[in-house]
Amino acid sequence: LDGSAVAAATIREVETPISTGGGSNAVHPRIRAVASGDLHVVWESTNGGPVEYMKVDTDGMLLNGPVALGGVASGADLPDVDVDTNGHAHIVFGNVAPQMLESQVYYAMVDGDPAAPIPVPIAPTLLTLDDDLRAGSATVNVDTFDNTLYIVFTQALINQANGAEEIFLARLNPALDDRNGDAADPAVLKVSEQQITAGEGLYQWRVTSHIGSDSRIHATYIDFNQGNCSAPYSIIDRHITFAGKTIAINTLTTNGSAPNCDPQARGAPGRNRIVWTDDSGSTPEIWSDTFTRADAGDSGLTCSLRNRNATGWQSGDLWLLFAAIAGLGVWRRYGKRYGA
């Protein structure tokens, strides 16, 4: 640790190939780590190959997989994965199967236990309508409070080359499915689905999402107001409750810049920090910001510690009630004695 470069072999504890080839190029990996140190990895393959999943431990041992989830990777979207408190991996990806004219969003659940009798309890399930209108850019987040899934994705509303895409939020409860290895019924799996933007973008959207430490879903997306993404664009972070209500819309920059159409903004899961690229100066630079819990709505004396959709004020209401009860007890004990 004297500041000099080190040979990679000196510090590399393990290097493990986790994809198995098969004639397709493995690309676009995404990874989630859990408290035990195990890693859950998903990727897609070119040349018509499937989306695949692998669980790896800290020693590089391949615990589960590769599990081929089928379908044909869209090539335009990154598959995404998150893990619930039971160790189950939840995966979303874009699938542009040969019979489809446009990509659609699929969801699958993989059991993290390699000895599980059903390794894929929920087979890839079509979440968006196969209506020849493109859907994609899907990301998945597990609310570890109750293992509910929140999937943010884009969906085109009309059939045109560029534009008319909006952002949607789907809430899924995998416990509602029988998890027998078949595809789920989306009508059973979905608790709700709603459009959370309206008419903001004129070009194709790119969206990422994460659950912040403020117990809000943050959909961070690029708004292309020009005919191509080489022009300056806006980067927006939308704060959304678990019930799907937009609480705040934070425009990070109107001078976004990138050599391609990929999002140049990222939030840290479980944290209140976000970074993005801003071209307001002579050259693009990296900016960072910390957000706090943005609140709006009515308040009342509500027992809201288990209400994930309550505002920050409502979350404090219960403590105010406790304080009032405690104050009444003190008054009853001492107030009468001193004639209060």
Side-chain angles (χ1 to χ4, degrees), residues 22 53 76 105 134 147 153 160 163 173 179 214 245 259 272:
Y53 159 86
V105 174
R134 184 188 184 279
N147 285 334
F153 62 96
Q160 66 179 52
N173 183 359
R179 289 166 288 177
D214 58 348
K245 178 181 180 181
N272 62 345

Side-chain angles (χ1 to χ4, degrees), residues 91-330:
I91 299 160
V92 293
F93 58 93
N95 179 14
V96 56
Q99 70 273 16
M100 296 178 177
L101 295 180
E102 293 289 346
S103 175
Q104 302 299 333
V105 174
Y106 277 72
Y107 159 77
M109 172 181 174
V110 179
D111 196 315
D113 181 1
I118 303 178
V120 184
I122 300 179
T125 299
L126 178 64
L127 291 183
T128 53
L129 293 176
D130 185 14
D131 53 6
D132 295 338
L133 299 177
R134 184 188 184 279
S137 295
T139 52
V140 58
N141 297 279
V142 175
D143 179 11
T144 55
F145 181 77
D146 58 5
N147 285 334
T148 300
L149 309 182
Y150 294 89
I151 297 175
V152 178
F153 62 96
T154 63
Q155 172 68 65
L157 301 184
I158 61 175
N159 191 3
Q160 66 179 52
N162 298 315
E165 290 183 328
E166 302 292 350
I167 297 176
F168 285 72
L169 173 67
R171 178 181 179 185
L172 272 58
N173 183 359
L176 298 176
D177 184 67
D178 56 18
R179 289 166 288 177
N180 65 352
D182 296 333
D185 180 353
V188 174
L189 197 64
K190 287 183 186 179
V191 177
S192 63
E193 180 181 301
Q194 60 214 90
Q195 182 178 330
I196 60 175
T197 61
E200 294 180 29
L202 299 178
Y203 189 57
Q204 61 183 356
W205 296 69
R206 289 289 186 254
V207 59
T208 63
S209 67
H210 74 283
I211 295 176
S213 58
D214 58 348
S215 295
R216 297 283 187 247
I217 302 164
H218 289 264
T220 306
Y221 53 91
I222 292 179
D223 178 1
F224 298 109
N225 286 319
Q226 304 295 328
N228 60 72
C229 56
S230 62
Y233 50 71
S234 298
I235 300 178
I236 299 169
D237 180 39
R238 183 179 287 256
H239 302 218
I240 309 166
T241 70
F242 290 97
K245 178 181 180 181
T246 294
I247 296 296
I249 302 174
N250 183 16
T251 300
L252 302 176
T253 181
T254 57
N255 292 284
S257 177
N260 51 45
C261 296
D262 291 327
Q264 300 296 305
R266 288 292 186 271
R271 299 293 185 267
N272 62 345
R273 175 68 66 175
I274 194 166
V275 294
W276 70 93
T277 301
D278 194 311
D279 198 18
S280 57
S282 57
T283 57
E285 301 290 352
I286 304 300
W287 292 62
S288 177
D289 192 16
T290 299
F291 53 81
T292 57
R293 185 179 172 98
D295 294 319
D298 297 331
S299 177
L301 290 177
T302 307
C303 181
S304 55
L305 289 183
R306 292 187 62 83
N307 181 0
R308 303 288 280 164
N309 302 309
T311 64
W313 172 252
Q314 288 172 324
S315 296
D317 284 342
L318 187 59
W319 301 110
L320 294 175
L321 181 59
F322 285 160
I325 294 173
L328 179 61
V330 171

Side-chain angles (χ1 to χ4, degrees), residues 55-72:
K55 181 180 178 183
V56 187
D57 72 6
T58 54
D59 294 323
M61 294 293 293
L62 307 183
L63 300 180
N64 190 6
V67 176
L69 298 176
V72 179

